[in-house]
Amino acid sequence: MKADLRTSMLIKRKYASEQYTDAGARLCTHVPSDLILKPNPILAGYFPCKSEIDPRPLMRLLKAKGANLCLPRTPSKGHVDQALTFHLCDPDNKGQLEKSAWGVMEPLATRPQVRPDFVLVPLVAFDRDGNRLGQGKGHYDRTLAALRASGPVIAIGIAFSVQEVERIPTEPHDQRLDWIITEIEAYRVPSCE
């Protein structure tokens, strides 16, 4: 069921990325003023891969408001069951980046490792309850679970509005989002507690 949904939603996301080339910039117009109230927070973004919406305009905006930026490093191919690590990095500074074994741009391993307060999460599909469908490797679910076990962290799903579905099938290990920001709106996900 998830595989079929992933296939159809990747087609929608690809179409949206081709049609709405300014969507990353449009994310900035929907950032609520109460999203990040903590002074000098550490914000984890990501370098867009394939048809993912580009979070870098939003990252630049939040950096101008005092956020410290970091990017994830993916586990090596032999250690896919491990969580992502986050390293201070400017996504606009090519000297701080390298291509991973997965073909994704990520920070150099020598960049300082940090624990983010906020994580911008890429996705394939989402629903209004904060459930997300990712690429299927579980990197962000493992990572959010580990971060939440060590303290508070806010997970912010970043997507095109066409990636919304009525219901994402969930499993016990799936981690919910706290916020969702698209090119047309931003909203806090109601707590399930």
Side-chain angles (χ1 to χ4, degrees):
M1 186 170 195
K2 277 188 174 183
D4 291 340
L5 179 60
R6 184 175 290 112
T7 298
S8 66
M9 295 308 293
L10 283 171
I11 292 168
K12 278 189 171 185
R13 188 178 78 181
K14 184 176 186 303
Y15 175 80
S17 72
E18 293 167 353
Q19 296 299 308
Y20 308 110
T21 56
D22 65 339
R26 290 173 59 192
L27 293 171
C28 298
T29 64
H30 301 290
V31 177
S33 59
D34 63 342
L35 177 66
I36 297 180
L37 298 175
K38 179 179 180 175
N40 303 311
I42 298 175
L43 174 77
Y46 61 91
F47 203 94
C49 182
K50 298 180 183 173
S51 60
E52 291 173 343
I53 196 166
D54 188 348
R56 291 175 294 175
L58 177 59
M59 294 170 67
R60 290 178 195 115
L61 173 71
L62 297 174
K63 179 181 178 182
K65 293 184 177 201
N68 297 293
L69 302 182
C70 64
L71 292 173
R73 282 188 61 85
T74 52
S76 62
K77 289 195 175 188
H79 299 90
V80 294
D81 59 339
Q82 295 178 354
L84 301 168
T85 57
F86 295 94
H87 302 260
L88 291 176
C89 182
D90 180 345
D92 293 324
N93 185 335
K94 291 186 174 147
Q96 296 179 6
L97 299 166
E98 66 183 353
K99 191 172 279 195
S100 75
W102 304 96
V104 177
M105 295 304 291
E106 61 183 26
L108 297 169
T110 55
R111 301 293 305 156
Q113 190 170 336
V114 293
R115 183 194 184 280
D117 302 299
F118 299 86
V119 180
L120 301 181
V121 183
L123 48 87
V124 174
F126 68 93
D127 65 28
R128 289 273 165 168
D129 292 326
N131 299 304
R132 66 177 280 278
L133 181 66
Q135 295 285 3
K137 304 277 189 233
H139 291 308
Y140 275 92
D141 289 317
R142 279 190 297 279
T143 300
L144 290 173
L147 288 171
R148 288 172 170 160
S150 69
V153 65
I154 304 296
I156 306 164
I158 304 296
F160 296 98
S161 57
V162 298
Q163 292 176 256
E164 181 178 350
V165 297
E166 187 172 333
R167 188 82 183 123
I168 297 283
T170 61
E171 298 174 62
H173 66 271
D174 290 334
Q175 294 289 308
R176 291 176 72 226
L177 302 167
D178 300 293
W179 281 86
I180 296 170
I181 303 176
T182 73
E183 81 284 7
I184 63 169
E185 69 177 326
Y187 63 90
R188 185 188 308 264
V189 174
S191 173
C192 62
E193 300 174 339

